[in-house]
Amino acid sequence: MKKEKTVELLKDIGADILGSAIFAFGVNTFTTPNEIAPGGVTGIATMLHSITQAQMGTLTFLLNIPLIILGLVVIGKRFTINTFRTLFILSVITNITEAFLPVYTENALLAALFGGAAIGIGMGIIFLRGSTTGGTDILGRVLLRYFQHIPLGKILLAIDFVIVTAAGIYYGTLDAALYALVSVYVTERAMDSVLYGFNETRIAYVVTEHPIEVAQRVMDETDRGVTYLNGEGGYQRDKKLVIMCAMPSRQFAKFKRIVLEVDHAAFIMVAPASNVIGEGFKETFDE
């Protein structure tokens, strides 16, 4: 068991390093030199960088410290420890690579596109192992506890919108805000592509010997509801509770990890879904 945990930890660290390197490439080569604030804490750090000339990795780390503390108090120890590890690796690699990565400043639109893609791919690789880069993700989860009627995606979008608007005001041009919006959009699409192509929503079915424990952890740690379905084993004819859960594609890696931590022998079935209607998803059906 100890060996398995060590292997999993090494995989987590490997994903953090690879994802952080790609993330740093997007920031140091494309977005920061062109003063494009790609949403989230990175966007705030980009604006501060233009004032202080401090390294992006350092600024990102310092800005995340209050959020890490907030996450520890409100969300929990497990989530916070993983986030802190990833954030530390991300900050160090961003600082180290700043000295030798090439800088592209020929075309701001291309910088927004390629910078957003690199940042999204890097984040996607990190999310695949169930970790996160912190920042507005922590703030969004905290706010969700007090505004449970608002979907997490909308909360994060609102936070990014405020940061992008602030970037436009700070740099004094509408172009700065528009390029930032392009970067944010491409980041989201690239991240989703790494996780699950272009399918935005997944429905998962889980057959496990510990359905109550799995369901409780899923609800506590992903802020997603679950539904129990009555099932019957075809071979032994035994009654089972089957868990059904719909979620954004980016959350599935974490969902899977939770299930397997509780029951390594659990049976998980996943399918893409479209036009999911209800709390946390679409409020109406678009014809």
Side-chain angles (χ1 to χ4, degrees), residues 97-258:
T97 56
E98 184 178 335
F100 61 84
L101 280 174
V103 172
Y104 176 82
T105 57
E106 300 300 320
N107 185 299
L109 178 57
L110 288 178
L113 292 171
F114 283 92
I119 292 171
I121 291 170
M123 293 177 66
I125 292 171
I126 290 169
F127 284 0
L128 278 173
R129 294 297 302 170
S131 188
T132 174
T133 54
T136 53
D137 187 44
I138 296 177
L139 183 59
R141 291 174 187 277
V142 171
L143 291 174
L144 187 65
R145 292 176 179 264
Y146 300 98
F147 303 96
Q148 297 182 7
H149 60 288
I150 304 177
L152 179 60
K154 289 185 178 180
I155 293 175
L156 295 176
L157 182 62
I159 295 172
D160 278 340
F161 179 78
V162 170
I163 294 171
V164 166
T165 302
I169 296 172
Y170 171 74
Y171 291 118
T173 65
L174 180 59
D175 284 352
L178 294 177
Y179 288 138
L181 281 174
V182 170
S183 181
V184 169
Y185 176 77
V186 175
T187 294
E188 292 293 325
R189 298 308 300 168
M191 183 169 57
D192 286 345
S193 298
V194 170
L195 294 172
Y196 274 111
F198 291 94
N199 295 310
E200 296 183 350
T201 308
R202 294 278 163 170
I203 295 181
Y205 299 89
V206 180
V207 179
T208 171
E209 296 299 322
H210 309 284
I212 306 299
E213 185 179 352
V214 169
Q216 191 61 53
R217 280 197 56 185
V218 167
M219 289 187 288
D220 289 344
E221 298 178 34
T222 69
D223 294 307
R224 289 289 157 189
V226 303
T227 300
Y228 292 121
L229 305 177
N230 292 318
E232 181 177 325
Y235 182 69
Q236 296 182 338
R237 314 293 294 180
D238 53 331
K239 304 294 183 182
K240 294 181 180 292
L241 282 178
V242 179
I243 299 170
M244 181 183 74
C245 181
M247 71 202 77
S249 59
R250 72 171 65 180
Q251 284 191 320
F252 177 71
K254 186 172 186 178
F255 174 88
K256 181 178 71 173
R257 192 170 192 177
I258 291 170

Side-chain angles (χ1 to χ4, degrees), residues 67-137:
L67 297 174
I68 290 288
I69 296 172
L70 183 63
L72 180 62
V73 174
V74 179
I75 301 176
K77 184 178 179 181
R78 182 199 302 267
F79 173 84
T80 306
I81 290 175
N82 288 339
T83 301
F84 183 82
R85 182 201 67 230
T86 300
L87 178 61
F88 178 78
I89 293 173
L90 176 65
S91 300
V92 170
I93 290 179
T94 302
N95 280 350
I96 291 173
T97 56
E98 184 178 335
F100 61 84
L101 280 174
V103 172
Y104 176 82
T105 57
E106 300 300 320
N107 185 299
L109 178 57
L110 288 178
L113 292 171
F114 283 92
I119 292 171
I121 291 170
M123 293 177 66
I125 292 171
I126 290 169
F127 284 0
L128 278 173
R129 294 297 302 170
S131 188
T132 174
T133 54
T136 53
D137 187 44

